[in-house]
CSV table of all heavy atoms in Angstrom, one decimal:
chain,number,residue,atom,x,y,z
A,1,MET,N,13.6,3.3,-16.6
A,1,MET,CA,12.8,3.4,-15.3
A,1,MET,C,13.4,2.5,-14.3
A,1,MET,O,13.8,1.4,-14.5
A,1,MET,CB,11.4,2.9,-15.7
A,1,MET,CG,10.4,2.9,-14.4
A,1,MET,SD,8.8,2.4,-14.9
A,1,MET,CE,8.0,2.5,-13.3
A,2,THR,N,13.5,3.0,-13.1
A,2,THR,CA,14.1,2.3,-12.0
A,2,THR,C,13.2,1.1,-11.5
A,2,THR,O,12.0,1.3,-11.5
A,2,THR,CB,14.3,3.2,-10.8
A,2,THR,OG1,15.2,4.3,-11.2
A,2,THR,CG2,15.0,2.5,-9.6
A,3,ARG,N,13.8,0.0,-11.2
A,3,ARG,CA,13.0,-1.1,-10.7
A,3,ARG,C,13.8,-1.7,-9.6
A,3,ARG,O,15.0,-1.5,-9.4
A,3,ARG,CB,12.7,-2.1,-11.8
A,3,ARG,CG,14.0,-2.8,-12.4
A,3,ARG,CD,13.6,-3.7,-13.6
A,3,ARG,NE,14.8,-4.2,-14.2
A,3,ARG,CZ,15.4,-5.3,-13.8
A,3,ARG,NH1,14.9,-5.9,-12.7
A,3,ARG,NH2,16.5,-5.8,-14.4
A,4,VAL,N,13.1,-2.6,-8.8
A,4,VAL,CA,13.8,-3.3,-7.7
A,4,VAL,C,14.2,-4.7,-8.2
A,4,VAL,O,13.4,-5.4,-8.8
A,4,VAL,CB,12.9,-3.4,-6.5
A,4,VAL,CG1,13.6,-4.1,-5.3
A,4,VAL,CG2,12.4,-2.1,-6.0
A,5,ARG,N,15.4,-5.1,-7.9
A,5,ARG,CA,15.8,-6.4,-8.2
A,5,ARG,C,16.0,-7.2,-7.0
A,5,ARG,O,16.5,-6.7,-6.0
A,5,ARG,CB,17.1,-6.4,-9.0
A,5,ARG,CG,17.6,-7.8,-9.5
A,5,ARG,CD,18.7,-7.7,-10.5
A,5,ARG,NE,19.9,-7.1,-9.9
A,5,ARG,CZ,20.9,-6.7,-10.7
A,5,ARG,NH1,20.8,-6.7,-12.0
A,5,ARG,NH2,21.9,-6.1,-10.1
A,6,VAL,N,15.5,-8.5,-7.0
A,6,VAL,CA,15.6,-9.4,-5.8
A,6,VAL,C,16.6,-10.4,-6.2
A,6,VAL,O,16.5,-11.1,-7.2
A,6,VAL,CB,14.3,-10.0,-5.5
A,6,VAL,CG1,14.5,-10.9,-4.3
A,6,VAL,CG2,13.2,-9.0,-5.2
A,7,ASP,N,17.6,-10.6,-5.3
A,7,ASP,CA,18.6,-11.7,-5.5
A,7,ASP,C,18.0,-12.9,-4.7
A,7,ASP,O,18.1,-12.9,-3.4
A,7,ASP,CB,19.9,-11.3,-5.0
A,7,ASP,CG,21.0,-12.4,-5.1
A,7,ASP,OD1,20.6,-13.6,-5.3
A,7,ASP,OD2,22.2,-12.1,-5.1
A,8,ALA,N,17.3,-13.8,-5.3
A,8,ALA,CA,16.7,-14.9,-4.7
A,8,ALA,C,17.6,-15.8,-3.9
A,8,ALA,O,17.2,-16.5,-2.9
A,8,ALA,CB,15.9,-15.8,-5.7
A,9,GLU,N,18.9,-15.8,-4.2
A,9,GLU,CA,19.9,-16.6,-3.5
A,9,GLU,C,20.1,-16.0,-2.1
A,9,GLU,O,20.5,-16.7,-1.2
A,9,GLU,CB,21.2,-16.6,-4.3
A,9,GLU,CG,21.1,-17.3,-5.6
A,9,GLU,CD,20.9,-18.8,-5.5
A,9,GLU,OE1,21.6,-19.4,-4.6
A,9,GLU,OE2,20.1,-19.4,-6.2
A,10,ARG,N,19.9,-14.7,-2.0
A,10,ARG,CA,20.2,-14.0,-0.7
A,10,ARG,C,19.0,-13.8,0.1
A,10,ARG,O,19.1,-13.7,1.3
A,10,ARG,CB,20.8,-12.6,-1.0
A,10,ARG,CG,22.2,-12.6,-1.5
A,10,ARG,CD,22.7,-11.2,-1.8
A,10,ARG,NE,24.1,-11.1,-2.2
A,10,ARG,CZ,25.0,-10.7,-1.4
A,10,ARG,NH1,24.7,-10.2,-0.2
A,10,ARG,NH2,26.3,-10.7,-1.8
A,11,CYS,N,17.8,-13.7,-0.5
A,11,CYS,CA,16.6,-13.5,0.3
A,11,CYS,C,16.3,-14.6,1.3
A,11,CYS,O,16.2,-15.8,0.8
A,11,CYS,CB,15.4,-13.3,-0.6
A,11,CYS,SG,13.8,-13.0,0.3
A,12,VAL,N,16.1,-14.3,2.5
A,12,VAL,CA,15.8,-15.3,3.5
A,12,VAL,C,14.4,-15.2,4.1
A,12,VAL,O,14.0,-15.8,5.0
A,12,VAL,CB,16.8,-15.2,4.7
A,12,VAL,CG1,18.2,-15.6,4.3
A,12,VAL,CG2,16.8,-13.9,5.4
A,13,GLY,N,13.6,-14.4,3.4
A,13,GLY,CA,12.2,-14.2,3.8
A,13,GLY,C,11.9,-13.6,5.1
A,13,GLY,O,10.9,-13.9,5.8
A,14,SER,N,12.8,-12.7,5.5
A,14,SER,CA,12.7,-12.1,6.8
A,14,SER,C,11.4,-11.2,6.9
A,14,SER,O,10.9,-10.9,8.0
A,14,SER,CB,13.9,-11.2,7.2
A,14,SER,OG,13.9,-10.1,6.3
A,15,GLY,N,11.0,-10.7,5.8
A,15,GLY,CA,9.8,-9.8,5.7
A,15,GLY,C,10.1,-8.4,6.1
A,15,GLY,O,9.1,-7.6,6.2
A,16,SER,N,11.3,-8.0,6.3
A,16,SER,CA,11.6,-6.6,6.7
A,16,SER,C,11.1,-5.6,5.6
A,16,SER,O,10.6,-4.6,5.9
A,16,SER,CB,13.1,-6.4,6.9
A,16,SER,OG,13.6,-7.3,7.9
A,17,CYS,N,11.3,-6.0,4.4
A,17,CYS,CA,10.9,-5.1,3.3
A,17,CYS,C,9.4,-5.0,3.2
A,17,CYS,O,8.8,-4.0,3.0
A,17,CYS,CB,11.5,-5.6,2.0
A,17,CYS,SG,11.1,-7.3,1.6
A,18,GLU,N,8.7,-6.1,3.4
A,18,GLU,CA,7.2,-6.2,3.4
A,18,GLU,C,6.7,-5.3,4.5
A,18,GLU,O,5.6,-4.7,4.4
A,18,GLU,CB,6.8,-7.6,3.5
A,18,GLU,CG,5.2,-7.8,3.4
A,18,GLU,CD,4.8,-9.2,3.5
A,18,GLU,OE1,5.6,-10.1,3.1
A,18,GLU,OE2,3.6,-9.4,3.8
A,19,ALA,N,7.3,-5.4,5.7
A,19,ALA,CA,6.8,-4.6,6.9
A,19,ALA,C,6.9,-3.1,6.6
A,19,ALA,O,6.1,-2.3,7.0
A,19,ALA,CB,7.6,-5.0,8.1
A,20,LEU,N,8.0,-2.8,5.9
A,20,LEU,CA,8.2,-1.4,5.5
A,20,LEU,C,7.2,-0.9,4.4
A,20,LEU,O,6.7,0.2,4.5
A,20,LEU,CB,9.6,-1.2,5.1
A,20,LEU,CG,10.0,0.2,4.7
A,20,LEU,CD1,10.2,1.1,6.0
A,20,LEU,CD2,11.3,0.2,3.9
A,21,ALA,N,7.0,-1.7,3.4
A,21,ALA,CA,6.3,-1.3,2.2
A,21,ALA,C,5.4,-2.5,1.8
A,21,ALA,O,5.7,-3.2,0.8
A,21,ALA,CB,7.2,-0.9,1.1
A,22,PRO,N,4.3,-2.8,2.5
A,22,PRO,CA,3.5,-3.9,2.2
A,22,PRO,C,2.8,-3.9,0.8
A,22,PRO,O,2.4,-4.9,0.3
A,22,PRO,CB,2.5,-4.0,3.3
A,22,PRO,CG,2.4,-2.6,3.8
A,22,PRO,CD,3.8,-2.1,3.7
A,23,ASP,N,2.7,-2.7,0.2
A,23,ASP,CA,2.1,-2.6,-1.1
A,23,ASP,C,3.1,-2.9,-2.2
A,23,ASP,O,2.7,-3.1,-3.4
A,23,ASP,CB,1.6,-1.2,-1.3
A,23,ASP,CG,0.3,-0.9,-0.5
A,23,ASP,OD1,-0.3,-1.8,0.0
A,23,ASP,OD2,0.1,0.3,-0.3
A,24,MET,N,4.4,-3.0,-1.8
A,24,MET,CA,5.4,-3.2,-2.8
A,24,MET,C,6.0,-4.5,-2.7
A,24,MET,O,6.5,-5.1,-3.8
A,24,MET,CB,6.5,-2.1,-2.6
A,24,MET,CG,7.5,-2.0,-3.6
A,24,MET,SD,8.7,-0.6,-3.3
A,24,MET,CE,7.6,0.8,-3.4
A,25,PHE,N,6.1,-5.1,-1.5
A,25,PHE,CA,6.8,-6.4,-1.3
A,25,PHE,C,5.8,-7.4,-0.7
A,25,PHE,O,5.1,-7.1,0.2
A,25,PHE,CB,8.0,-6.2,-0.5
A,25,PHE,CG,9.0,-5.3,-1.0
A,25,PHE,CD1,9.1,-4.0,-0.5
A,25,PHE,CD2,9.9,-5.6,-2.0
A,25,PHE,CE1,10.0,-3.1,-1.0
A,25,PHE,CE2,10.8,-4.7,-2.5
A,25,PHE,CZ,10.9,-3.5,-2.0
A,26,GLU,N,6.0,-8.7,-1.0
A,26,GLU,CA,5.3,-9.7,-0.4
A,26,GLU,C,6.1,-11.0,-0.4
A,26,GLU,O,6.6,-11.4,-1.4
A,26,GLU,CB,3.9,-10.0,-1.0
A,26,GLU,CG,3.1,-11.1,-0.3
A,26,GLU,CD,1.7,-11.3,-0.9
A,26,GLU,OE1,1.7,-11.8,-2.1
A,26,GLU,OE2,0.7,-10.9,-0.3
A,27,VAL,N,6.3,-11.6,0.8
A,27,VAL,CA,7.1,-12.8,0.9
A,27,VAL,C,6.2,-13.9,0.4
A,27,VAL,O,5.1,-14.1,1.0
A,27,VAL,CB,7.6,-13.1,2.3
A,27,VAL,CG1,8.3,-14.4,2.4
A,27,VAL,CG2,8.5,-11.9,2.8
A,28,GLY,N,6.6,-14.7,-0.6
A,28,GLY,CA,5.8,-15.7,-1.1
A,28,GLY,C,5.8,-17.0,-0.3
A,28,GLY,O,6.6,-17.1,0.7
A,29,ASP,N,5.0,-18.0,-0.7
A,29,ASP,CA,5.0,-19.3,0.0
A,29,ASP,C,6.4,-20.0,0.0
A,29,ASP,O,6.7,-20.8,0.8
A,29,ASP,CB,3.9,-20.2,-0.6
A,29,ASP,CG,2.5,-19.7,-0.4
A,29,ASP,OD1,2.4,-18.9,0.6
A,29,ASP,OD2,1.6,-20.0,-1.1
A,30,ASP,N,7.2,-19.6,-1.0
A,30,ASP,CA,8.5,-20.2,-1.2
A,30,ASP,C,9.5,-19.5,-0.3
A,30,ASP,O,10.7,-19.9,-0.3
A,30,ASP,CB,8.9,-20.3,-2.6
A,30,ASP,CG,9.0,-18.8,-3.2
A,30,ASP,OD1,8.6,-17.9,-2.5
A,30,ASP,OD2,9.3,-18.7,-4.4
A,31,GLY,N,9.1,-18.5,0.4
A,31,GLY,CA,10.0,-17.8,1.3
A,31,GLY,C,10.9,-16.7,0.6
A,31,GLY,O,11.8,-16.2,1.2
A,32,ILE,N,10.5,-16.5,-0.7
A,32,ILE,CA,11.3,-15.5,-1.4
A,32,ILE,C,10.3,-14.3,-1.7
A,32,ILE,O,9.2,-14.5,-2.0
A,32,ILE,CB,11.8,-16.1,-2.8
A,32,ILE,CG1,12.6,-17.3,-2.6
A,32,ILE,CG2,12.5,-15.0,-3.6
A,32,ILE,CD1,13.8,-17.1,-1.8
A,33,VAL,N,10.9,-13.1,-1.5
A,33,VAL,CA,10.0,-12.0,-1.7
A,33,VAL,C,9.6,-11.7,-3.2
A,33,VAL,O,10.4,-12.0,-4.1
A,33,VAL,CB,10.7,-10.7,-1.1
A,33,VAL,CG1,11.7,-10.1,-2.0
A,33,VAL,CG2,9.6,-9.7,-0.7
A,34,GLU,N,8.5,-11.2,-3.4
A,34,GLU,CA,8.0,-10.9,-4.7
A,34,GLU,C,7.8,-9.4,-4.8
A,34,GLU,O,7.3,-8.8,-3.8
A,34,GLU,CB,6.7,-11.6,-5.1
A,34,GLU,CG,6.9,-13.1,-5.1
A,34,GLU,CD,5.5,-13.8,-5.2
A,34,GLU,OE1,4.5,-13.1,-5.6
A,34,GLU,OE2,5.5,-15.0,-5.0
A,35,ILE,N,8.0,-8.8,-5.9
A,35,ILE,CA,7.7,-7.3,-6.1
A,35,ILE,C,6.3,-7.2,-6.6
A,35,ILE,O,6.0,-7.8,-7.6
A,35,ILE,CB,8.7,-6.7,-7.1
A,35,ILE,CG1,10.2,-7.1,-6.7
A,35,ILE,CG2,8.5,-5.2,-7.2
A,35,ILE,CD1,10.6,-6.5,-5.4
A,36,LEU,N,5.5,-6.5,-5.9
A,36,LEU,CA,4.1,-6.4,-6.2
A,36,LEU,C,3.7,-5.4,-7.3
A,36,LEU,O,2.8,-5.5,-8.0
A,36,LEU,CB,3.2,-6.1,-5.0
A,36,LEU,CG,3.3,-7.2,-3.9
A,36,LEU,CD1,2.5,-6.7,-2.7
A,36,LEU,CD2,2.9,-8.5,-4.4
A,37,GLN,N,4.6,-4.3,-7.3
A,37,GLN,CA,4.2,-3.2,-8.3
A,37,GLN,C,5.5,-2.5,-8.7
A,37,GLN,O,6.5,-2.5,-8.0
A,37,GLN,CB,3.3,-2.2,-7.6
A,37,GLN,CG,3.9,-1.6,-6.4
A,37,GLN,CD,2.8,-0.7,-5.7
A,37,GLN,OE1,1.6,-0.9,-5.8
A,37,GLN,NE2,3.3,0.4,-5.1
A,38,PRO,N,5.5,-2.0,-9.9
A,38,PRO,CA,6.7,-1.2,-10.4
A,38,PRO,C,6.8,0.1,-9.6
A,38,PRO,O,5.8,0.5,-8.9
A,38,PRO,CB,6.4,-1.0,-11.8
A,38,PRO,CG,4.9,-1.0,-11.9
A,38,PRO,CD,4.4,-2.0,-10.9
A,39,LEU,N,8.0,0.6,-9.6
A,39,LEU,CA,8.2,1.9,-8.9
A,39,LEU,C,7.6,3.0,-9.8
A,39,LEU,O,8.1,3.3,-10.8
A,39,LEU,CB,9.7,2.1,-8.7
A,39,LEU,CG,10.4,1.1,-7.9
A,39,LEU,CD1,11.9,1.4,-7.7
A,39,LEU,CD2,9.8,0.9,-6.5
A,40,ASP,N,6.6,3.6,-9.2
A,40,ASP,CA,5.9,4.7,-9.9
A,40,ASP,C,6.1,6.0,-9.1
A,40,ASP,O,5.3,6.2,-8.2
A,40,ASP,CB,4.5,4.3,-10.2
A,40,ASP,CG,3.8,5.3,-11.1
A,40,ASP,OD1,4.5,6.1,-11.8
A,40,ASP,OD2,2.5,5.3,-11.1
A,41,GLY,N,7.0,6.8,-9.5
A,41,GLY,CA,7.1,8.1,-8.9
A,41,GLY,C,8.3,8.2,-7.8
A,41,GLY,O,8.8,7.1,-7.4
A,42,ALA,N,8.6,9.4,-7.4
A,42,ALA,CA,9.7,9.6,-6.5
A,42,ALA,C,9.4,9.0,-5.1
A,42,ALA,O,10.4,8.5,-4.5
A,42,ALA,CB,10.0,11.1,-6.4
A,43,ALA,N,8.2,9.0,-4.6
A,43,ALA,CA,7.9,8.5,-3.3
A,43,ALA,C,8.1,7.0,-3.3
A,43,ALA,O,8.7,6.5,-2.3
A,43,ALA,CB,6.5,8.9,-2.9
A,44,ALA,N,7.7,6.3,-4.3
A,44,ALA,CA,7.8,4.9,-4.4
A,44,ALA,C,9.3,4.5,-4.5
A,44,ALA,O,9.8,3.6,-3.9
A,44,ALA,CB,7.1,4.3,-5.6
A,45,ARG,N,10.1,5.3,-5.2
A,45,ARG,CA,11.5,5.1,-5.4
A,45,ARG,C,12.2,5.2,-4.0
A,45,ARG,O,13.1,4.4,-3.7
A,45,ARG,CB,12.1,6.0,-6.4
A,45,ARG,CG,13.5,5.6,-6.8
A,45,ARG,CD,14.2,6.6,-7.8
A,45,ARG,NE,15.4,6.0,-8.3
A,45,ARG,CZ,16.5,5.8,-7.7
A,45,ARG,NH1,16.6,6.1,-6.4
A,45,ARG,NH2,17.6,5.4,-8.3
A,46,ALA,N,11.8,6.3,-3.3
A,46,ALA,CA,12.4,6.5,-2.0
A,46,ALA,C,12.1,5.4,-1.0
A,46,ALA,O,12.9,4.9,-0.2
A,46,ALA,CB,11.9,7.8,-1.4
A,47,LEU,N,10.8,4.9,-1.1
A,47,LEU,CA,10.4,3.8,-0.2
A,47,LEU,C,11.2,2.5,-0.6
A,47,LEU,O,11.7,1.8,0.3
A,47,LEU,CB,9.0,3.5,-0.4
A,47,LEU,CG,8.3,2.6,0.6
A,47,LEU,CD1,8.5,3.2,2.1
A,47,LEU,CD2,6.8,2.5,0.3
A,48,ALA,N,11.4,2.3,-1.8
A,48,ALA,CA,12.2,1.2,-2.3
A,48,ALA,C,13.7,1.3,-1.8
A,48,ALA,O,14.3,0.3,-1.4
A,48,ALA,CB,12.1,1.0,-3.8
A,49,ALA,N,14.2,2.5,-1.9
A,49,ALA,CA,15.6,2.7,-1.4
A,49,ALA,C,15.7,2.4,0.1
A,49,ALA,O,16.7,1.8,0.5
A,49,ALA,CB,16.0,4.1,-1.7
A,50,ASP,N,14.6,2.7,0.9
A,50,ASP,CA,14.6,2.4,2.3
A,50,ASP,C,14.6,0.9,2.5
A,50,ASP,O,15.3,0.4,3.3
A,50,ASP,CB,13.4,3.0,3.0
A,50,ASP,CG,13.5,4.5,3.1
A,50,ASP,OD1,14.7,5.1,3.0
A,50,ASP,OD2,12.5,5.2,3.4
A,51,ALA,N,13.8,0.2,1.6
A,51,ALA,CA,13.7,-1.2,1.7
A,51,ALA,C,15.1,-1.9,1.4
A,51,ALA,O,15.5,-2.9,2.1
A,51,ALA,CB,12.7,-1.8,0.8
A,52,VAL,N,15.8,-1.3,0.5
A,52,VAL,CA,17.2,-1.8,0.2
A,52,VAL,C,18.0,-1.8,1.4
A,52,VAL,O,18.8,-2.7,1.7
A,52,VAL,CB,17.8,-1.0,-1.0
A,52,VAL,CG1,19.3,-1.3,-1.1
A,52,VAL,CG2,17.1,-1.3,-2.3
A,53,GLN,N,17.9,-0.7,2.2
A,53,GLN,CA,18.7,-0.5,3.4
A,53,GLN,C,18.3,-1.4,4.5
A,53,GLN,O,19.2,-1.8,5.3
A,53,GLN,CB,18.6,1.0,3.8
A,53,GLN,CG,19.1,2.0,2.9
A,53,GLN,CD,20.6,1.8,2.6
A,53,GLN,OE1,21.4,1.6,3.6
A,53,GLN,NE2,21.0,1.9,1.4
A,54,VAL,N,17.0,-1.7,4.7
A,54,VAL,CA,16.6,-2.5,5.8
A,54,VAL,C,16.8,-4.0,5.6
A,54,VAL,O,16.8,-4.8,6.5
A,54,VAL,CB,15.1,-2.3,6.2
A,54,VAL,CG1,14.9,-0.8,6.6
A,54,VAL,CG2,14.2,-2.8,5.2
A,55,CYS,N,17.0,-4.4,4.3
A,55,CYS,CA,17.1,-5.9,4.1
A,55,CYS,C,18.4,-6.4,4.8
A,55,CYS,O,19.5,-5.9,4.5
A,55,CYS,CB,17.2,-6.1,2.6
A,55,CYS,SG,17.5,-7.9,2.2
A,56,PRO,N,18.3,-7.4,5.6
A,56,PRO,CA,19.4,-7.8,6.4
A,56,PRO,C,20.5,-8.6,5.6
A,56,PRO,O,21.6,-8.8,6.0
A,56,PRO,CB,18.8,-8.7,7.5
A,56,PRO,CG,17.5,-9.2,6.9
A,56,PRO,CD,17.0,-8.0,6.0
A,57,THR,N,20.0,-9.1,4.4
A,57,THR,CA,21.0,-9.9,3.6
A,57,THR,C,21.4,-9.2,2.3
A,57,THR,O,22.0,-9.8,1.5
A,57,THR,CB,20.3,-11.2,3.3
A,57,THR,OG1,19.1,-11.0,2.6
A,57,THR,CG2,20.0,-12.0,4.6
A,58,ARG,N,21.0,-7.9,2.2
A,58,ARG,CA,21.3,-7.2,1.0
A,58,ARG,C,20.8,-7.9,-0.3
A,58,ARG,O,21.5,-7.9,-1.3
A,58,ARG,CB,22.8,-6.9,0.9
A,58,ARG,CG,23.3,-6.0,2.0
A,58,ARG,CD,24.8,-5.6,1.8
A,58,ARG,NE,25.2,-4.5,2.7
A,58,ARG,CZ,25.0,-3.3,2.4
A,58,ARG,NH1,24.3,-2.9,1.3
A,58,ARG,NH2,25.4,-2.3,3.2
A,59,ALA,N,19.6,-8.4,-0.2
A,59,ALA,CA,19.0,-9.1,-1.3
A,59,ALA,C,18.4,-8.2,-2.3
A,59,ALA,O,18.1,-8.6,-3.5
A,59,ALA,CB,18.0,-10.1,-0.8
A,60,LEU,N,18.1,-6.9,-1.9
A,60,LEU,CA,17.4,-6.0,-2.8
A,60,LEU,C,18.4,-5.0,-3.4
A,60,LEU,O,19.4,-4.5,-2.7
A,60,LEU,CB,16.3,-5.2,-2.0
A,60,LEU,CG,15.3,-6.1,-1.4
A,60,LEU,CD1,14.3,-5.2,-0.6
A,60,LEU,CD2,14.5,-6.8,-2.5
A,61,SER,N,18.1,-4.6,-4.6
A,61,SER,CA,18.9,-3.5,-5.2
A,61,SER,C,18.1,-2.7,-6.2
A,61,SER,O,17.1,-3.2,-6.7
A,61,SER,CB,20.2,-4.0,-5.9
A,61,SER,OG,19.8,-5.0,-6.9
A,62,LEU,N,18.4,-1.5,-6.4
A,62,LEU,CA,17.7,-0.7,-7.4
A,62,LEU,C,18.5,-0.7,-8.7
A,62,LEU,O,19.7,-0.6,-8.7
A,62,LEU,CB,17.5,0.8,-6.9
A,62,LEU,CG,16.7,1.0,-5.6
A,62,LEU,CD1,16.6,2.5,-5.4
A,62,LEU,CD2,15.3,0.4,-5.8
A,63,VAL,N,17.8,-0.9,-9.8
A,63,VAL,CA,18.4,-1.0,-11.1
A,63,VAL,C,17.8,0.1,-12.0
A,63,VAL,O,16.6,0.1,-12.1
A,63,VAL,CB,18.2,-2.4,-11.7
A,63,VAL,CG1,18.9,-2.5,-13.0
A,63,VAL,CG2,18.7,-3.5,-10.7
A,64,ASP,N,18.6,0.9,-12.6
A,64,ASP,CA,18.1,1.9,-13.5
A,64,ASP,C,18.1,1.4,-14.9
A,64,ASP,O,18.8,0.5,-15.3
A,64,ASP,CB,19.0,3.2,-13.4
A,64,ASP,CG,18.8,3.9,-12.1
A,64,ASP,OD1,17.7,4.1,-11.8
A,64,ASP,OD2,19.8,4.3,-11.5
B,101,SF4,S1,14.1,-7.8,3.7
B,101,SF4,FE1,15.5,-8.9,2.3
B,101,SF4,S2,15.7,-11.0,3.1
B,101,SF4,FE2,13.9,-10.1,4.1
B,101,SF4,S3,12.1,-10.7,2.7
B,101,SF4,FE3,12.9,-8.6,2.0
B,101,SF4,S4,14.3,-9.1,0.4
B,101,SF4,FE4,14.0,-11.0,1.6
């Protein structure tokens, strides 16, 4: 099952992913994004792929 991986070393808490998919991402108090839910279905996977693209620091990746 595909999941989103966050590279905490790269995440700068910009919130771009959260703005795109607030049900999927949330920037925590520590400034590092958290994944709120697993990728369930093609639509969620496509949304996650978009989030990977908008992240300014390339902190997100999809892992099969
Ligand atoms: S878009 Fe990238 S840098 Fe910004 S909060 Fe999301 S994972 Fe972190």
